[in-house]
Amino acid sequence: QVQVVESGGGLVQAGGSLRLSCTASGLTFVRYAMGWFRQPPGKEREGVSCIRRSGSSTYYADSVKGRFTISRDGAKNTLYLQMDSLKPEDTGMYYCAASLSDCSGSQERYKYWGQGTQVTVSS
């Protein structure tokens, strides 16, 4: 049974920081690129960041560049998203997902998804 579980969300004031974690089990972690997505209330889900299976390349949405950092720990089968200088527009449900397309595919190419963790940034 494959499980992808996010944690670390919460309520934070603008300018603050959060670190999200995503633990994957039941799959070979090193075979998958891992991505973070978010869905603001009433809006479509959007890609936030992706890290290739090797960890050699990372990708970020323009809206989060310079503020968010994605990383992975193969020994722990865990993906992280360090979020600094948070803004109210960062509010949304954040999802972790695994893909065999090594960050090159669309959202539909992500095979496994977590249930999400809520991030709320207050003004």
Side-chain angles (χ1 to χ4, degrees), residues 4 6 22 32-37 47-51 70 72 79 95-99 103 110 112-113:
V4 180
E6 305 94 335
C22 169
Y32 291 84
M34 300 295 297
W36 286 101
F37 299 81
V48 174
S49 185
C50 186
I51 184 167
I70 190 170
R72 65 193 294 163
L79 174 74
Y95 298 92
C96 171
S99 174
C103 295
Y110 285 77
Y112 302 109
W113 292 79

Side-chain angles (χ1 to χ4, degrees), residues 4-45:
V4 180
V5 181
E6 305 94 335
S7 62
L11 175 65
V12 65
Q13 292 186 341
S17 298
L18 286 173
R19 189 176 77 157
L20 306 184
S21 298
C22 169
T23 299
S25 61
L27 54 76
T28 303
F29 189 66
V30 297
R31 297 282 305 279
Y32 291 84
M34 300 295 297
W36 286 101
F37 299 81
R38 69 186 182 190
Q39 187 167 22
K43 297 183 179 180
E44 296 293 314
R45 187 175 62 203

